[in-house]
Amino acid sequence: MIALKSTFSDYYDIAAKSDSEIVYNRVRQGKGRAAQLNYLKGLGIKTVDFGPLTKFNPDSGKLVVYTNTLSHDFQGKRICTYSEAAVQYPNYLVAQFLDVYNGYTIKYLQVGERRFRVMLQNKDYLTRLVEGSVLAIEELDRQFNYAVALPIYSIDYISNGTEMVAIDFNEVQNLRNIGFDRVMGPVEVTTEIEKALIAYNLSLIHI
């Protein structure tokens, strides 16, 4: 089993052992939003169009302004018009607001070797940026992802009308927030974390 060093709690914490020699350093804040999206692009993943406000123009329509680039779970961002962003957030990172996806988000989730496709819907997507309700969880073929090499992470995708594009990279996914305790028990999750830490050579020696 594993020991945890963490900045937040999750439902599988009860299965961790404080005296384990294998330690999972679970920290929510990692790369900033621009660095994360650029990282995904480096992996060959199509992302939403993003950048400084100067990249867009007054005819761009609505934009998403990242008021806190370290936040996740649909926090730290808001919908604005170009003129609102120019007055209130002229130096903030912004992205194209996509209104053609009908509030559906596909979350690709990796837990150790196990991979899942999670479908969520936010019925208020035109006015509120929230993760929405879980509609379905589908398990995919098992395999480690050595390119990303993180024990638990997720990538959120929405449609731009022609293809799916990534809008967020959660370097640590909070499983409780998506009701994942119905899919994997605490021991199952910590077992997968341990397997991933060993596979990716990420484990820390407990002192």
Side-chain angles (χ1 to χ4, degrees):
M1 284 298 170
I2 61 168
L4 282 172
K5 289 186 177 180
S6 183
T7 57
F8 68 99
S9 64
D10 212 328
Y11 75 87
Y12 58 85
D13 295 0
I14 60 173
K17 305 293 183 182
S18 61
D19 58 348
S20 175
E21 293 185 352
I22 300 177
V23 182
Y24 178 28
N25 190 28
R26 189 180 63 188
V27 180
R28 292 301 302 275
Q29 291 188 347
K31 304 179 183 70
R33 187 61 58 100
Q36 289 178 336
L37 292 174
N38 279 321
Y39 173 76
L40 294 180
K41 290 172 70 173
L43 294 175
I45 297 173
K46 178 80 173 180
T47 71
V48 67
D49 193 19
F50 69 97
L53 186 62
T54 53
K55 181 178 179 178
F56 300 86
N57 60 67
D59 298 324
S60 298
K62 290 184 178 180
L63 301 170
V64 174
V65 177
Y66 296 102
T67 56
N68 184 340
T69 60
L70 294 176
S71 294
H72 293 284
D73 301 325
F74 285 75
Q75 301 297 311
K77 55 186 179 181
R78 58 166 298 190
I79 302 168
C80 288
T81 63
Y82 180 92
S83 59
E84 288 172 334
V87 172
Q88 300 179 52
Y89 307 103
N91 300 314
Y92 283 66
L93 180 71
V94 301
Q96 178 187 13
F97 175 68
L98 300 173
D99 59 2
V100 295
Y101 71 107
N102 294 323
Y104 290 103
T105 299
I106 301 297
K107 181 185 291 289
Y108 171 84
L109 171 66
Q110 182 105 24
V111 182
E113 191 180 21
R114 298 178 66 175
R115 305 182 306 141
F116 301 86
R117 183 185 293 117
V118 183
M119 177 176 284
L120 307 103
Q121 185 182 23
N122 167 24
K123 294 182 179 180
D124 299 321
Y125 71 100
L126 291 175
T127 56
R128 297 176 62 237
L129 294 173
V130 296
E131 193 158 53
S133 302
V134 175
L135 301 180
I137 299 177
E138 174 190 2
E139 184 160 10
L140 309 173
D141 292 340
R142 299 186 183 195
Q143 65 179 46
F144 289 115
N145 188 328
Y146 288 92
V148 177
L150 293 171
I152 300 178
Y153 72 91
S154 68
I155 302 172
D156 295 337
Y157 295 87
I158 64 174
S159 174
N160 65 4
T162 57
E163 61 184 337
M164 301 299 288
V165 294
I167 59 169
D168 198 4
F169 173 38
N170 300 292
E171 295 171 83
V172 180
Q173 170 67 49
N174 189 312
L175 298 181
R176 178 190 285 128
N177 287 352
I178 57 173
F180 210 70
D181 55 324
R182 297 171 296 172
V183 179
M184 293 180 66
V187 174
E188 289 181 286
V189 175
T190 54
T191 297
E192 289 299 319
I193 293 172
E194 181 178 12
K195 288 162 56 178
L197 290 172
I198 294 171
Y200 304 145
N201 196 28
L202 294 175
S203 58
L204 304 174
I205 299 299
H206 191 277
I207 299 176

